Amino acid sequence: MCQSVNKKKAALDAKVDTSASAQRLHLLERELEDLEAKVRATKQRIQEEKDLIAGSKQEAAVLTAELKADLAELSSLSKQVVLGADEEDEAVIAKVDRIRLDAIAAINDFLQETCPR
C-alpha cells in the first residue's frame, strides 16, 4: 500500500510540478510573438508594394496621356511642313542676306558722306 501511495505521490508531484510545461509554454508564446511580428512586417511590405504598383500605374497613365498629346502635336506639325527643295530656301536666304549687306553698305556710305571724320 505504501508503494502504491508513493507512486501516486510521485505521479502527483510530477503533475503538480509544471515548471517544465510553463517553460515550454513561455517558449511557445515567445515564438508566437516573433511570428506575429514577422506577419506584421510582411503585411507592411505587401502594402508598400501595392502602393508602389498603384503609383507606377498612375505615372504610366500620365506618361501615356502626355505621349498621346505629343504624338498628336507631331502629327499636326508634320501636316504643316511645307515640301520643297532646300536649294530654294537657301537661294531665298542668300538673296535676303545680299539685300541686308547692300543696306548696311548704303547706310555706311550715307554716314560717311554726311559725317566725314
Side-chain angles (χ1 to χ4, degrees):
M1 178 87 175
C2 283
Q3 280 184 342
S4 174
V5 169
N6 284 336
K7 281 185 181 180
K8 287 181 182 180
K9 168 104 172 66
L12 177 62
D13 287 344
K15 296 291 180 183
V16 171
D17 184 15
T18 59
S19 62
S21 295
Q23 186 175 0
R24 284 193 308 271
L25 175 62
H26 180 70
L27 290 174
L28 287 172
E29 287 173 338
R30 280 200 326 206
E31 183 179 341
L32 178 61
E33 288 173 4
D34 291 344
L35 290 172
E36 287 173 341
K38 287 180 183 178
V39 167
R40 283 191 300 274
T42 301
K43 284 182 178 180
Q44 177 65 33
R45 289 197 316 264
I46 288 170
Q47 187 58 49
E48 290 169 358
E49 288 298 319
K50 285 180 179 180
D51 293 345
L52 182 65
I53 290 169
S56 293
K57 286 181 180 179
Q58 288 176 337
E59 289 176 19
V62 168
L63 290 174
T64 300
E66 289 176 2
L67 184 59
K68 285 181 181 179
D70 290 346
L71 289 174
E73 184 178 353
L74 283 174
S75 176
S76 172
L77 290 174
S78 69
K79 292 175 184 173
Q80 296 175 9
V81 172
V82 177
L83 300 178
D86 289 342
E87 293 80 20
E88 294 171 1
D89 294 338
E90 290 170 359
V92 170
I93 292 170
K95 183 177 177 182
V96 170
D97 194 43
R98 276 192 304 273
I99 292 170
R100 180 184 65 82
L101 291 174
D102 290 345
I104 291 171
I107 292 170
N108 283 336
D109 290 344
F110 175 76
L111 290 174
Q112 285 180 359
E113 290 175 8
T114 57
C115 306
R117 293 185 180 181

